[in-house]
Amino acid sequence: MSEQVVAPPAVLAEGRNIVVVTASRIGAFCLVELQKLKHDRTELFTRAIQPVLWLTIFGTTFSRIRAIPTGRISYLAYMAPGVIAQSALFVAIIMRVPMTWNPLRSLAVFGVVMLGSAFFCCLSLTIAGIVLHRDRLMGIGQAITMPLFFASNALYPTAIMPGWVKVLANVNPLSYEVQMMRGLLLGEPADYLQDLGVLVLAAIAMIVVASSLLGRLSR
């Protein structure tokens, strides 16, 4: 009779410790952000300005001129998931963009936003762990935020993009986040397994990379 191979207790304990430490670090970052918002409520307002401008100015203008083909849905509704992915879920609710707010779908959208946020937050931590200077981090962050946004399907379909931009959009996790949200909120065709798989793998990979650089940040 073959013997069952059991992992040594030390290995299991080490694995549990890694999970606990990772979870505690994530919780600590969330707590810091909540405390910042608690002490400075105006930050909620300042964070909402940009997405509101995207919807009210960019979205309504392009909806009227019908410059971008979005099929049966309005351009404002088409771009809203992209703005939500970039900014916050409550923006579309405030703007009352016509979407399907089914409770289960809303919960799924929340999960998708959290996955995308995990990837981009850890991307920021990775950059911080490399440059080790706040000014450099802010500069690099501002330099990559808009290219990531525009090199995705957040504002327009990938079908009308130039070839090189389409390549960037296909490797941009934001594209898969937005596409999944469009499927959940607007009923657009979406490959949920592929989109979810890309988001999960991207988030896990970036969490691992960011975690490996936390030691440099704590020095």
Side-chain angles (χ1 to χ4, degrees):
M1 183 175 64
S2 60
E3 295 183 357
Q4 185 178 4
V5 178
V6 180
V11 175
L12 295 176
E14 183 179 355
R16 284 194 295 268
N17 288 337
I18 292 174
V19 173
V20 171
V21 170
T22 302
S24 65
R25 286 174 175 174
I26 293 173
F29 282 119
C30 293
L31 183 60
V32 169
E33 288 298 315
L34 289 174
Q35 289 177 340
K36 287 167 60 179
L37 293 176
K38 180 180 178 180
H39 292 295
D40 187 6
R41 302 292 177 86
T42 59
E43 193 167 347
L44 287 173
F45 175 75
T46 56
R47 291 185 182 186
I49 290 177
Q50 185 176 358
V52 169
L53 290 176
W54 274 110
L55 290 171
T56 56
I57 298 178
F58 192 92
T60 53
T61 300
F62 275 76
S63 293
R64 290 186 178 184
I65 65 177
R66 302 178 184 276
I68 298 175
T70 55
R72 59 182 178 81
I73 62 175
S74 69
Y75 180 69
L76 186 61
Y78 181 86
M79 72 172 292
V83 175
I84 295 172
Q86 184 207 33
S87 309
L89 183 61
F90 69 86
V91 175
I93 301 175
I94 293 174
M95 295 301 299
R96 297 182 183 179
V97 176
M99 294 182 177
T100 304
W101 290 106
N102 176 282
L104 291 178
R105 287 176 178 264
S106 299
L107 183 61
V109 168
F110 180 78
V112 172
V113 172
M114 290 300 100
L115 274 176
S117 299
F119 172 81
F120 290 109
C121 286
C122 290
L123 175 61
S124 178
L125 286 174
T126 299
I127 297 172
I130 294 173
V131 300
L132 295 178
H133 290 282
R134 180 176 176 81
D135 292 340
R136 291 180 186 174
L137 172 63
M138 297 297 293
I140 295 174
Q142 292 174 356
I144 68 174
T145 298
M146 296 310 291
L148 281 171
F149 186 48
F150 282 105
S152 72
N153 60 356
L155 297 177
Y156 27 70
T158 55
I160 67 173
M161 295 179 182
W164 66 274
V165 180
K166 189 179 297 185
V167 171
L168 295 176
N170 288 333
V171 298
N172 187 349
L174 183 62
S175 295
Y176 298 92
E177 179 183 354
V178 172
Q179 189 59 42
M180 196 170 181
M181 291 173 63
R182 285 203 180 107
L184 292 168
L185 294 174
L186 304 176
E188 289 284 283
D191 188 339
Y192 293 109
L193 288 179
Q194 174 184 283
D195 297 339
L196 182 61
V198 170
L199 283 177
V200 170
L201 289 176
I204 291 175
M206 197 53 63
I207 287 172
V208 171
V209 174
S211 297
S212 68
L213 293 171
L214 284 178
R216 285 170 58 85
L217 288 172
S218 61
R219 292 174 188 172

